[in-house]
Amino acid sequence: MLGEVGGPAPGAPMAAVRSQGVGGPRRTMVLTSVEKIAGLQKKTSGIRNICILAHVDHGKTTLADCLISSNGIISSRLAGKLRYLDSREDEQIRGITMKSSAISLHFVKGDQEYLINLIDSPGHVDFSSEVSTAVRLCDGCIIVVDAVEGVCPQTQAVLRQAWLENIRPVLVINKIDRLIVELKLTPQEAYLHLKNILEQINAVTGALFTSKVLEERAEKETESENISDTAPGDQIYDWSAGLEDTDDSHLYFSPDHGNVVFASAIDGWGFGIEHFAKLYSQKIGIKPAVLMRTLWGDYYLNTKAKKIMKGDQSKGKKPLFVQLVLDNIWSLYEAVMKRDKEKIEKIVTSLGLKIGARESRHADPKVHLNAICSQWLPISDAVLSMVCNKLPSPLDITAERVEKLMCVGARTFDSLPPETQELKSAFMKCSSEGTAPVIVFVSKMFAVDAKALPHNKPRPLTQEEIAHRRELVKQRHAEKLAANQGKQLSEKPPSENSSEVTGSTGDTKGEDQQLTGQAEIVTSKAMKQEADNKESFIAFARVFSGVVQRGQKIFVLGPKYDPAESLHKLSSQCSATNDMPLVPHMACCTLENLYLLMGRELEDLEEVPAGNVLGIGGLQDFVLKSATLSTSPACPPFTPLNFEATPIVRVAVEPKHPSDMPQLVRGMKLLNQADPCVQVLIQETGEHVLVTAGEVHLQRCLDDLKERFAKVQISVSAPIIPFRETITRPPKVDMVNEEIGKQQKVAVIHQTKEDQNKVPEGVQVDSDGLVTISTPNKQATLSVRAVPLPEEVTRLLEENSDLIRTMDQLNTSLNEDKKTHEINQKTLDRIKEFKQKLEQNLQGRKWRNAVDQIWSFGPRKCGPNILLYNFEGYKRSVWQCLGNAVKEVSKYRDFDNSVVSGFQLATLSGPMCEEPLMGVCFTVEKWEMNKVGEMLSTSSQDSGESDAIEHKQNEDTTLTSSFTDEVCSANEHQDSSQSVPKSPEKISKPKGEALLADCYGPFSGQLIATMKEACRYALQAKPQRLMAAMYTCEIMATAEVLGRVYAVLSKREGRVLQEEMKEGTDVFIIKAVLPVAESFGFADEIRKRTSGLASPQLVFSHWEIISSDPFWVPTTEEEYLHFGEKADSENQARKYMNAVRKRKGLYVEEKIVEHAEKQRTLSKNK
């Protein structure tokens, strides 16, 4: 049976298939034994690790079914209906895949045997993190595209993910039967339609390729510029050159390259054009190689001359592909659908197929069609042979991909330690020798019922065990007989005393045994129940080098592990068994079990050589979501996975019965481990919050929590919607589009506006928004102004938050005089480029020298807000790492961190509803220190030049003064600008300290609070606005339901950006933006209103200012007339703001009507 992978053998297949029955694909006919697969795992050249990627509902799981049925794991008749790899119940109900699952298939092609590790991945945008985990483990992927819908948003996303991981794609154009049956296209129209789809896909690939070439070229340019100092006029920049020289022909999909298969997975057929090229080369007598080149393209067959000519369109001839391929498929469909018996018989006999009577008599013509097509053009043969020919084996891993995997963050490959660089050759060889270091990457952890583990499964008994059990039963039977006899004896007269005694002992023995037996049964039941309830975590991993063995000891490297630091402590040869010193981000563990992943089943393995995908048991205490395992401490952690979707939907979760809290906490820990994308946090308010990627994802996480991980009833809050606060330029026109300042003010109402913006005493606010405020002890005065940042700058800061974080770390280590590893040139270049971009965007009189005066970014030191200093006598720069570090002593330097901390606090929660700020620039225009403050800072410099950071370095330095203590407290989360020589001497209490230990607490604490207040008042002096998170929403809908789609969008504050019609179909693609706050239940509503004809894809895209002012009240005559005194028309921004304030328990100004009486009823009763 092993030979016929393509499907059951003609003639006798039905008996074999029928014996499986409908529910029987489980264990009846697994053709390839585990031993066989374990043998194939050792031949690295014959392994293919592939994943199936596509948009939602394009047929990935159905295609996977067809490939699995070729191995006899499931019946070919159930392929497409069973969806074998969707093993979760909710996946089967919803009909979408939610997690990636793997299966190993055996494929024979000629005399070559291949092992194909197939991973099926989800297409829904909420689960795109699962795609990232699958892609990392593969060397190639199958992109599936629906022949009707063509390239969809998620198709582009998965192509991009495959591109980022450097894996090679092949293409399957699926659902071609829809072109025949639904759209009723002619073969010629279908050909043009398919050509169009190919062009669209190649356009996406081309765009990715172009950007890469231009990037590389720009890098080369900068390198060559550094070397050659030519005059600027000599260099003419030519963009195109890089693209013309680089060869990109291997990237594109084209049937004549053999990397495209046309298929209909539900009908079980698929073909690459080489199949037809071989077939027709015998019939027409043209070489297969020529046919391969010409079967796709503008060629036609000149039947008289038996020649293939070019230019079919101009001569009005049929292209070869239509004439030789599509016409045949179309005529077969036509014959079967119309039940034309003679024609069908003719086709079947000419193809030499045998169709069972059951299929040909079946009421549904599709069954008959499937039987014919799956024998004539078996899809599994076409797809698997394309995979084996076109996709690389683990041996062909490219050097570029290895370097990309090994370099975390901004490190370049050359900056890694030499021992680490040597590991590259182990990667490239992918060798399974005993000496090769073991390197494994775990891309995710997934939870499995303990019942599903191989050692807990019921298994058939061996002969010895059966014999042993028979003996036990016999023994028990004999004892029972003896006990019964004893009873009978005791009833006899007492003369036979001796025998009675023996009998009674036998009896008690029997009873004892019975009791112990019962106890055993009870305990085993309890154990069994415990095992049933237990979730066991298995790591989804791939071996990149070496042989992994069961029971092997291995290092687990966390994502922040740095081989350069640990190699000083450990020798590169040390193994995980030695007693080692503690190394940060590194642990030791034993690999307890190795599993072969077979879809829903797991099989035990003893060892797994390089290049294979496997499951590893026993890592749940060591690995949270992903990790790198290695036997060599020189191995770097792999680059973190890049997730396309950002988690944005938050809900607070609590148990229905408070006593269940511990179970919920444990359940959330498990959920966090089992899902690559979910985030679990405890907020300051004590709420347990789940952050998920979208509604479907949220639903799945909650179901898992209830039913699998926590197993308690939970109540879920309404989604917590994130907002941002910002300020804008003062508007030119008011709410009724009148120019401001021209109309009559209404005194009464104007008064209320003034009341709202009341400023407490001690705070001065100028007309242009400069706020001046003093510390409570009047020792320092700050003047702060807030200005909105240009949009481009905010976007730039958001995109480069990682770079800003890196800068902050570099500055901190420079200040502490730590010898950091050489700052990488590439990082420096990126920082310089970032600075240049900022300078380009911050131009004009207002922003003069602003970039050099940046003091800090915030919140959390890397956010989209800026703090500038604009006062004399102080210099401090975030650009220190570029080499322009300023070592200066000034009166401000002890307290500058307090001001920065105050700014960080102010940006973390704004005045409107305690949400983070975004796109605001605060400028400190004046900072005056009283004499005492100055004395303080100078005295601390005199007394041994001690600083808080010094305190951290010198454990033996005792700090007595409350002043230095408080500097420490301010310094816990900041970078001090001053490096100080070490001074282990005792510090005397500084002069002036007595003056500062006042009732207001430590001075730096006062500064923090004052700075925070100053920032808040500076914000309130400007027009404040809320920013809402926005989704981009892509909806595919037919013309008749367009109106309803628009109705739902406009009701939910959505904005349509564009709509275009898909060529060759009646489907419109609508692109819109929609606030996250309005998106809950959106997908369901659209589906209901359009009877399921339109389904949206929501992806978080950006933050957008809500134009209305949350504090607006009518102030002029016109507004008063237009809106009425209370301005009853609901203000969107105010509604959002109050909702957030209510949720956080802040004061909400609302007028609540109590005891309202209807006037009308009173008058009636008179």
Side-chain angles (χ1 to χ4, degrees):
M1 284 299 272
L2 269 178
E4 339 126 4
V5 174
M14 287 305 123
V17 175
R18 204 167 292 139
S19 69
Q20 290 183 55
V22 176
R26 298 292 299 222
R27 233 176 259 102
T28 43
M29 189 180 92
V30 178
L31 296 183
T32 316
S33 64
V34 180
E35 291 75 33
K36 174 87 185 174
I37 286 187
L40 287 170
Q41 284 186 340
K42 294 189 174 62
K43 287 191 355 211
T44 320
S45 58
I47 298 172
R48 299 285 181 273
N49 295 317
I50 57 165
C51 52
I52 306 181
L53 309 176
H55 186 80
V56 65
D57 280 342
H58 278 200
K60 294 178 292 302
T61 310
T62 310
L63 174 65
D65 266 8
C66 294
L67 303 184
I68 295 168
S69 71
S70 73
N71 264 241
I73 295 170
I74 65 172
S75 134
S76 56
R77 214 187 277 131
L78 288 176
K81 300 180 187 69
L82 192 67
R83 301 207 309 283
Y84 182 70
L85 288 180
D86 286 357
S87 49
R88 292 169 57 104
E89 195 180 337
D90 48 358
E91 288 181 316
Q92 290 286 352
I93 294 167
R94 273 183 188 262
I96 58 172
T97 309
M98 295 187 186
K99 52 148 192 31
S100 38
S101 38
I103 192 160
S104 297
L105 304 176
H106 168 225
F107 177 62
V108 182
K109 186 175 178 229
D111 51 356
Q112 266 287 62
E113 287 194 89
Y114 293 96
L115 174 68
I116 292 169
N117 295 320
L118 177 81
I119 303 176
D120 181 30
S121 68
H124 196 285
V125 67
D126 283 11
F127 305 109
S128 61
S129 57
E130 290 278 349
V131 178
S132 311
T133 59
V135 166
R136 170 60 61 89
L137 304 185
C138 295
D139 302 305
C141 61
I142 301 175
I143 306 274
V144 182
V145 176
D146 184 330
V148 176
E149 291 182 8
V151 177
C152 293
Q154 209 49 29
T155 316
Q156 296 178 0
V158 293
L159 269 167
R160 188 165 57 250
Q161 275 176 319
W163 176 265
L164 286 173
E165 287 284 354
N166 287 25
I167 69 170
R168 196 178 302 167
V170 290
L171 180 68
V172 172
I173 297 183
N174 192 17
K175 303 197 183 185
I176 290 187
D177 59 300
R178 287 182 67 188
L179 300 180
I180 310 173
V181 181
E182 282 177 35
L183 299 187
K184 300 195 164 39
L185 301 182
T186 62
Q188 180 74 32
E189 289 165 345
Y191 168 67
L192 294 172
H193 182 76
L194 291 172
K195 211 166 157 186
N196 195 357
I197 287 177
L198 263 177
E199 279 166 17
Q200 287 173 5
I201 295 168
N202 286 335
V204 177
T205 316
L208 292 168
F209 175 71
T210 311
S211 62
K212 180 188 165 191
V213 170
L214 293 182
E215 260 174 41
E216 281 178 2
R217 184 145 188 279
E219 275 174 26
K220 277 182 198 155
E221 288 288 325
T222 47
E223 281 167 23
S224 60
E225 271 172 28
N226 295 345
I227 302 160
S228 62
D229 298 328
T230 48
D234 298 353
Q235 281 187 321
I236 298 164
Y237 204 74
D238 171 25
W239 276 109
S240 57
L243 285 171
E244 259 98 67
D245 305 343
T246 35
D247 173 38
D248 55 353
S249 58
H250 62 280
L251 286 175
Y252 297 117
F253 300 111
S254 167
D256 49 349
H257 288 170
N259 58 4
V260 180
V261 159
F262 302 94
S264 162
I266 199 79
D267 286 344
W269 59 267
F271 62 88
I273 58 173
E274 61 274 5
H275 176 91
F276 282 96
K278 281 181 200 150
L279 191 83
Y280 282 112
S281 66
Q282 299 157 358
K283 284 196 175 179
I284 311 173
I286 295 174
K287 289 179 193 151
V290 176
L291 273 171
M292 265 301 281
R293 281 207 314 276
T294 55
L295 251 177
W296 180 262
D298 299 336
Y299 301 98
Y300 71 96
L301 184 65
N302 186 334
T303 36
K304 287 178 188 164
K306 288 246 173 156
K307 271 187 184 168
I308 292 173
M309 313 283 247
K310 207 168 170 36
D312 59 331
Q313 305 257 309
S314 51
K315 302 192 175 105
K317 295 281 189 1
K318 273 187 183 175
L320 267 181
F321 189 70
V322 175
Q323 189 184 352
L324 302 182
V325 181
L326 295 185
D327 277 354
N328 292 324
I329 293 171
W330 256 246
S331 59
L332 171 64
Y333 265 80
E334 197 180 356
V336 177
M337 289 303 178
K338 287 183 178 169
R339 298 290 174 95
D340 186 341
K341 278 194 178 161
E342 289 171 16
K343 198 170 178 189
I344 296 173
E345 272 171 28
K346 199 172 159 192
I347 292 173
V348 170
T349 48
S350 69
L351 291 172
L353 310 175
K354 288 199 171 154
I355 305 298
R358 176 180 166 182
E359 273 75 15
S360 50
R361 291 203 200 105
H362 203 286
D364 182 6
K366 280 274 191 181
V367 174
H368 195 179
L369 198 63
N370 191 332
I372 298 172
C373 295
S374 58
Q375 284 187 43
W376 173 36
L377 301 169
I379 184 170
S380 52
D381 274 12
V383 173
L384 293 179
S385 59
M386 169 171 77
V387 163
C388 297
N389 292 340
K390 290 292 162 193
L391 295 183
S393 74
L395 292 173
D396 306 330
I397 188 166
T398 55
E400 185 186 7
R401 183 172 182 208
V402 172
E403 288 183 16
K404 216 171 179 180
L405 287 178
M406 289 171 81
C407 303
V408 180
R411 305 283 300 265
T412 52
F413 184 69
D414 307 329
S415 70
L416 294 169
E419 295 95 330
T420 307
Q421 293 191 34
E422 283 166 22
L423 288 175
K424 182 178 167 183
S425 60
F427 261 100
M428 302 292 289
K429 279 198 293 235
C430 195
S431 64
S432 306
E433 297 157 17
T435 52
V438 175
I439 303 171
V440 179
F441 181 72
V442 174
S443 76
K444 67 165 186 173
M445 303 292 284
F446 63 98
V448 187
D449 253 342
K451 284 183 282 193
L453 295 177
H455 53 82
N456 293 343
K457 270 190 213 151
R459 54 187 178 79
L461 299 173
T462 57
Q463 286 301 323
E464 293 85 46
E465 283 175 321
I466 292 172
H468 178 63
R469 288 198 177 188
R470 199 177 283 136
E471 285 303 310
L472 277 176
V473 172
K474 273 183 185 169
Q475 209 175 323
R476 231 176 255 158
H477 188 64
E479 278 165 8
K480 246 189 192 162
L481 279 175
N484 288 343
Q485 274 176 353
K487 267 185 191 168
Q488 286 164 5
L489 285 173
S490 62
E491 284 160 13
K492 282 185 179 177
S495 61
E496 299 163 6
N497 217 347
S498 60
S499 65
E500 184 190 337
V501 179
T502 54
S504 63
T505 52
D507 187 19
T508 50
K509 232 191 220 165
E511 270 177 25
D512 279 356
Q513 271 183 341
Q514 240 173 333
L515 281 173
T516 51
Q518 275 172 347
E520 270 172 31
I521 290 167
V522 171
T523 51
S524 68
K525 261 190 189 164
M527 298 238 307
K528 224 179 193 168
Q529 266 177 337
E530 206 165 279
D532 286 357
N533 293 340
K534 214 162 171 250
E535 290 290 334
S536 155
F537 277 90
I538 290 177
F540 192 46
R542 166 166 171 192
V543 189
F544 281 94
S545 154
V547 181
V548 181
Q549 285 165 342
R550 192 177 180 161
Q552 187 175 23
K553 281 229 184 334
I554 199 160
F555 293 122
V556 180
L557 314 175
K560 289 184 182 171
Y561 170 75
D562 185 3
E565 284 179 25
S566 67
L567 286 172
H568 300 314
K569 301 185 189 174
L570 311 168
S571 71
S572 59
Q573 299 307 317
C574 95
S575 70
T577 46
N578 309 359
D579 293 328
M580 312 176 311
L582 274 175
V583 178
H585 308 296
M586 178 182 195
C588 266
C589 77
T590 310
L591 304 179
E592 291 175 12
N593 293 305
L594 306 179
Y595 300 113
L596 173 66
L597 304 167
M598 289 297 285
R600 305 175 185 191
E601 314 281 325
L602 295 166
E603 304 289 348
D604 267 324
L605 291 173
E606 284 305 313
E607 60 170 36
V608 179
N612 284 291
V613 174
L614 79 160
I616 305 175
L619 289 180
Q620 60 246 54
D621 304 332
F622 299 96
V623 178
L624 179 62
K625 294 189 182 207
S626 63
T628 311
L629 313 179
S630 177
T631 49
S632 153
C635 178
F638 282 23
T639 322
L641 300 162
N642 30 15
F643 294 142
E644 289 276 321
T646 38
I648 187 105
V649 181
R650 298 165 170 255
V651 291
V653 186
E654 60 182 26
K656 285 244 171 85
H657 309 294
S659 56
D660 292 337
M661 198 67 196
Q663 280 108 300
L664 179 70
V665 174
R666 198 175 61 242
M668 285 179 81
K669 271 188 191 152
L670 294 176
L671 174 70
N672 187 26
Q673 198 168 10
D675 192 308
C677 191
V678 78
Q679 290 173 13
V680 171
L681 10 135
I682 298 178
Q683 290 193 318
E684 303 89 71
T685 52
E687 292 174 299
H688 288 262
V689 175
L690 274 187
V691 194
T692 59
E695 267 193 285
V696 186
H697 187 209
L698 171 68
Q699 199 50 54
R700 190 196 82 174
C701 290
L702 294 175
D703 288 349
D704 273 358
L705 251 188
K706 280 183 216 159
E707 286 154 27
R708 292 182 70 177
F709 300 129
K711 296 198 168 127
V712 293
Q713 287 297 308
I714 53 177
S715 48
V716 181
S717 73
I720 302 172
I721 299 127
F723 288 98
R724 295 282 181 269
E725 299 181 23
T726 187
I727 51 177
T728 55
R729 293 216 175 87
K732 297 273 193 302
V733 293
D734 63 11
M735 294 292 278
V736 284
N737 290 343
E738 294 276 348
E739 205 173 316
I740 287 179
K742 291 281 173 73
Q743 323 82 350
Q744 179 69 46
K745 294 267 190 236
V746 179
V748 192
I749 300 168
H750 189 55
Q751 193 60 46
T752 59
K753 178 85 170 168
E754 293 299 308
D755 292 346
Q756 262 182 349
N757 292 350
K758 242 196 222 156
V759 178
E761 52 189 311
V763 180
Q764 298 165 6
V765 181
D766 295 5
S767 56
D768 62 347
L770 183 69
V771 171
T772 308
I773 185 170
S774 299
T775 53
N777 64 3
K778 304 286 182 284
Q779 298 304 339
T781 310
L782 291 167
S783 297
V784 181
R785 176 193 310 265
V787 210
L789 282 172
E791 264 181 52
E792 302 79 41
V793 178
T794 313
R795 198 175 308 123
L796 195 66
L797 293 176
E798 269 203 300
E799 285 164 5
N800 291 301
S801 62
D802 290 342
L803 187 63
I804 296 173
R805 202 175 284 129
T806 313
M807 272 165 52
D808 183 53
Q809 286 162 0
L810 292 174
N811 290 340
T812 311
S813 49
L814 280 171
N815 290 332
E816 296 180 12
D817 268 358
K818 268 190 191 164
K819 288 282 166 275
T820 54
H821 48 245
E822 296 310 304
I823 300 176
N824 178 338
Q825 192 54 44
K826 211 171 183 181
T827 313
L828 282 182
D829 291 345
R830 279 175 63 206
I831 295 174
K832 277 180 192 154
E833 188 189 352
F834 171 53
K835 190 177 175 184
Q836 279 168 358
K837 278 186 189 162
L838 275 179
E839 281 165 351
Q840 283 163 15
N841 287 321
L842 292 175
Q843 284 178 339
R845 191 173 50 80
K846 200 170 62 171
W847 298 107
R848 188 173 300 134
N849 296 337
V851 177
D852 292 323
Q853 292 174 343
I854 294 178
W855 198 351
S856 177
F857 300 95
R860 301 198 176 89
K861 302 227 166 155
C862 60
N865 305 289
I866 294 181
L867 176 66
L868 305 178
Y869 58 87
N870 199 358
F871 51 90
E872 292 300 314
Y874 179 80
K875 264 202 161 8
R876 161 85 179 272
S877 170
V878 286
W879 311 109
Q880 242 175 308
C881 47
L882 291 176
N884 48 5
V886 189
K887 304 266 183 197
E888 46 84 47
V889 175
S890 80
K891 58 182 181 179
Y892 302 120
R893 72 131 201 173
D894 273 331
F895 299 117
D896 55 0
N897 288 307
S898 307
V899 176
V900 172
S901 301
F903 160 74
Q904 299 293 351
L905 287 172
T907 49
L908 194 58
S909 58
M912 271 198 285
C913 51
E914 305 283 328
E915 290 287 304
L917 300 184
M918 185 167 187
V920 183
C921 169
F922 291 104
T923 315
V924 178
E925 307 229 334
K926 196 171 72 182
W927 178 3
E928 290 175 353
M929 295 268 271
N930 215 323
K931 284 283 172 281
V932 186
E934 288 181 29
M935 244 167 61
L936 226 169
S937 59
T938 49
S939 62
S940 80
Q941 285 166 25
D942 299 340
S943 55
E945 296 247 319
S946 168
D947 202 323
I949 285 163
E950 193 49 38
H951 163 60
K952 283 179 198 166
Q953 288 174 347
N954 288 346
E955 301 289 325
D956 54 349
T957 313
T958 52
L959 294 176
T960 48
S961 60
S962 70
F963 157 63
T964 33
D965 278 349
E966 52 82 355
V967 174
C968 289
S969 71
N971 261 336
E972 270 168 7
H973 49 145
Q974 101 266 342
D975 33 359
S976 167
S977 69
Q978 199 59 32
S979 71
V980 177
K982 297 199 171 185
S983 62
E985 66 201 50
K986 301 261 190 293
I987 300 162
S988 62
K989 195 166 187 177
K991 313 175 199 97
E993 181 58 53
L995 291 166
L996 277 150
D998 54 24
C999 59
Y1000 300 112
F1003 182 55
S1004 66
Q1006 294 176 41
L1007 256 181
I1008 292 178
T1010 309
M1011 179 65 186
K1012 183 183 172 189
E1013 290 304 302
C1015 290
R1016 284 200 149 195
Y1017 291 128
L1019 264 184
Q1020 286 169 321
K1022 293 286 163 95
Q1024 292 171 265
R1025 293 287 183 272
L1026 266 186
M1027 295 182 89
M1030 303 298 272
Y1031 276 139
T1032 47
C1033 161
E1034 298 221 2
I1035 307 172
M1036 299 182 79
T1038 49
E1040 60 263 25
V1041 293
L1042 266 189
R1044 292 177 202 162
V1045 170
Y1046 282 145
V1048 176
L1049 270 171
S1050 57
K1051 181 177 127 190
R1052 292 175 172 263
E1053 311 279 332
R1055 212 174 58 242
V1056 175
L1057 303 178
Q1058 67 176 91
E1059 64 161 18
E1060 52 186 41
M1061 196 167 187
K1062 255 217 153 130
E1063 275 183 53
T1065 62
D1066 59 344
V1067 173
F1068 283 88
I1069 297 178
I1070 302 157
K1071 286 199 172 100
V1073 287
L1074 179 80
V1076 173
E1078 302 287 340
S1079 69
F1080 300 99
F1082 173 70
D1084 284 347
E1085 189 177 358
I1086 274 208
R1087 259 189 234 112
K1088 278 178 195 155
R1089 293 288 297 277
T1090 61
S1091 329
L1093 287 172
S1095 57
Q1097 285 267 50
L1098 298 173
V1099 186
F1100 173 70
S1101 96
H1102 64 286
W1103 294 92
E1104 193 172 283
I1105 295 179
I1106 302 172
S1107 54
S1108 52
D1109 178 358
F1111 300 113
W1112 181 80
V1113 286
T1115 54
T1116 65
E1117 198 78 60
E1118 282 85 354
E1119 289 180 340
Y1120 195 29
L1121 287 170
H1122 192 275
F1123 291 102
E1125 189 180 345
K1126 296 207 179 67
D1128 297 327
S1129 53
E1130 197 172 22
N1131 179 340
Q1132 195 67 28
R1134 191 179 184 81
K1135 192 177 82 178
Y1136 288 151
M1137 181 181 82
N1138 285 345
V1140 175
R1141 290 186 73 94
K1142 261 186 197 157
R1143 194 188 80 231
K1144 294 188 173 178
L1146 304 169
Y1147 167 69
V1148 179
E1149 190 183 315
E1150 279 183 315
K1151 292 191 174 66
I1152 297 170
V1153 181
E1154 284 186 22
H1155 314 304
E1157 294 173 323
K1158 285 188 179 168
Q1159 299 303 309
R1160 192 171 45 106
T1161 53
L1162 291 178
S1163 61
K1164 260 188 182 174
N1165 292 342
K1166 273 179 188 173

